[in-house]
Amino acid sequence: MSQLAANHEAFVHVRMIVGVVVGLGVGRLLTGLARFVQHPSRETIYPVHLGWALFVLLGIAHFWWFEYRLSAAPVWSFQLYLFLIFYACLLFLATTLLFPDKMDEYAGYRDYFMSRRRWFFGLLALIFIVDFADTSLKGGAYLDTLGPVYPYRNAGFILAFALGAFSSDRRLQAALVSVALAAQLSWIFWLYDVL
């Protein structure tokens, strides 16, 4: 068996476990979103929370799409495997912060989101920091395809998340999620419309 074929088989093997982790995240998000339809009088929608749920869902889909670039990894090590699972687990944890197991101690999703915003935005910031490492693992040629905007984009998101973590202003929270969704969609369609 050639080295290229062996690397591809390793990549497929790794993607299976990563797929399980991100699949759990997608399932959690979709189950959480379905609550709004199943129990409309009990589960009041907070638009900022809903926007961040869509942002994370988009982030998971984006993650699955761009991780395909690791199929070109010359060698698969256990460290690279652990890193990829760690990255996927961060995305899953973001979904658990958006849709907790119980809401008994909160007045609704606005109350819950605002009380957990530091954890949520801290986790999002960590995800974008880890993305720098993920991008470097794919090599300089891949980094070049992202252009000079990439580090500023990630840094901008990290700063926005820090702002969101420490502000309870409703208008600012609404503006942050709106800009984040627009920025993420623009980025994806600008760079990643073709695998």
Side-chain angles (χ1 to χ4, degrees):
M1 177 184 305
S2 72
Q3 183 63 34
L4 184 61
N7 288 345
H8 180 71
E9 283 186 28
F11 175 69
V12 170
H13 178 71
V14 169
R15 259 180 87 88
M16 285 176 21
I17 189 66
V18 171
V20 169
V21 175
V22 297
L24 289 169
V26 169
R28 181 126 187 166
L29 283 172
L30 294 178
T31 301
L33 292 170
R35 288 180 198 160
F36 298 127
V37 176
Q38 294 169 341
H39 307 286
S41 60
R42 188 173 72 193
E43 305 290 351
T44 305
I45 294 174
Y46 175 44
V48 169
H49 169 265
L50 181 63
W52 286 116
L54 295 174
F55 180 84
V56 171
L57 183 60
L58 181 63
I60 290 172
H62 184 217
F63 169 82
W64 192 248
W65 186 259
F66 68 68
E67 286 306 336
Y68 182 76
R69 300 289 179 135
L70 283 174
S71 64
V75 175
W76 274 93
S77 66
F78 190 70
Q79 292 86 351
L80 179 56
Y81 169 70
L82 280 181
F83 172 80
L84 197 55
I85 289 184
F86 171 71
Y87 195 172
C89 286
L90 291 177
L91 291 165
F92 173 75
L93 288 173
T95 69
T96 65
L97 286 174
L98 285 167
F99 292 104
D101 294 330
K102 293 183 181 180
M103 290 284 292
D104 301 343
E105 58 195 279
Y106 303 99
Y109 277 101
R110 185 176 81 197
D111 180 40
Y112 171 77
F113 180 79
M114 294 308 287
S115 73
R116 293 292 172 254
R117 72 182 186 278
R118 288 191 176 126
W119 281 97
F120 177 70
F121 286 121
L123 189 56
L124 286 185
L126 180 59
I127 288 168
F128 276 78
I129 290 167
V130 168
D131 187 67
F132 281 122
D134 180 73
T135 299
S136 70
L137 289 171
K138 293 176 183 134
Y142 176 71
L143 180 60
D144 290 342
T145 66
L146 300 179
V149 173
Y150 170 74
Y152 298 107
R153 169 201 172 260
N154 275 26
F157 270 118
I158 292 165
L159 289 174
F161 299 147
L163 184 61
F166 293 103
S167 175
S168 60
D169 183 85
R170 290 185 197 173
R171 288 177 296 194
L172 177 68
Q173 291 289 341
L176 280 175
V177 72
S178 299
V179 169
L181 274 167
Q184 188 71 333
L185 282 168
S186 299
W187 178 257
I188 290 168
F189 290 120
W190 178 52
L191 282 177
Y192 291 105
D193 61 336
V194 175
L195 190 63

